[in-house]
Amino acid sequence: GFKNPTVNLAFSAPSLDMADLGLHAPGREVKATKVQGNIALKDNNLQIKSLSAQIGKSIATIKGSVQDISNPKIDIAVISPYLDMKDLLLLLDLEKPAVKTGRQRSVNLKASVRADMGRIREFDFEKLTTTIMAENRIVYLQPLEMTVFGGHFSGKCRLDLGTNGSPPRYQLGYTMERV
């Protein structure tokens, strides 16, 4: 019999509702379009050979791994021609419904991100590079570098996305040159 099989899956879909994967954003529907992927599952670990999709206006290609999908530790690289931060924050709101304990499972994320251009609120940027680390609804972007307003922005950011209805809190330290 099969003792420890590896399952390889290549797939594509014109549209994918995140709820179909058991992921929900409170009060919102999140859909990915133009989905294509090639992944492998072995020993409760997921290897993402390639995964591309569009969410909102953001387009991304992802490679990396998810260790222990029951209590995910995600380490990925994201490359994007266009990235809108509101789309990214929508993804960070995705949760699996609580199981019998009533507590949400913790997701540990580390993502190196590179985007040719995009938008943060009302500000357009180019040449974004950052590392995103997230756990327990606290998100760090450090370092965070980009071209904005015709100059160079460098900094780090901490986002506390809040829990149980508490408002989000933001901390930002930065330098700007030639702006």
Side-chain angles (χ1 to χ4, degrees), residues 87-106:
D87 298 331
L88 182 61
L89 290 174
L90 183 62
L91 286 177
L92 290 172
D93 265 350
L94 288 173
E95 302 172 337
K96 267 197 155 325
V99 286
K100 298 176 185 166
T101 64
R103 294 187 351 240
Q104 292 293 333
R105 295 183 298 168
S106 174

Side-chain angles (χ1 to χ4, degrees), residues 21-38:
L21 300 175
L23 300 170
H24 303 274
R28 287 177 268 170
E29 180 180 71
V30 182
K31 286 191 177 190
T33 59
K34 303 175 187 169
V35 179
Q36 292 188 339
N38 187 345

Side-chain angles (χ1 to χ4, degrees), residues 114-176:
R114 197 172 77 227
D116 295 335
M117 63 177 60
R119 189 168 187 82
I120 299 173
R121 293 192 177 252
E122 62 275 358
F123 304 108
D124 292 324
F125 66 81
E126 294 179 341
K127 301 177 186 168
L128 173 112
T129 58
T130 190
T131 298
I132 300 173
M133 293 171 285
E135 189 170 14
N136 298 324
R137 299 190 52 79
I138 296 179
V139 180
Y140 294 91
L141 287 83
Q142 54 189 26
L144 172 60
E145 303 209 6
M146 69 185 105
T147 301
V148 65
F149 306 124
H152 181 76
F153 174 98
S154 178
K156 59 184 176 177
C157 180
R158 180 183 189 271
L159 310 168
D160 182 339
L161 300 176
T163 55
N164 299 326
S166 65
R169 294 181 300 184
Y170 309 93
Q171 295 174 342
L172 178 64
Y174 64 92
T175 60
M176 294 179 77

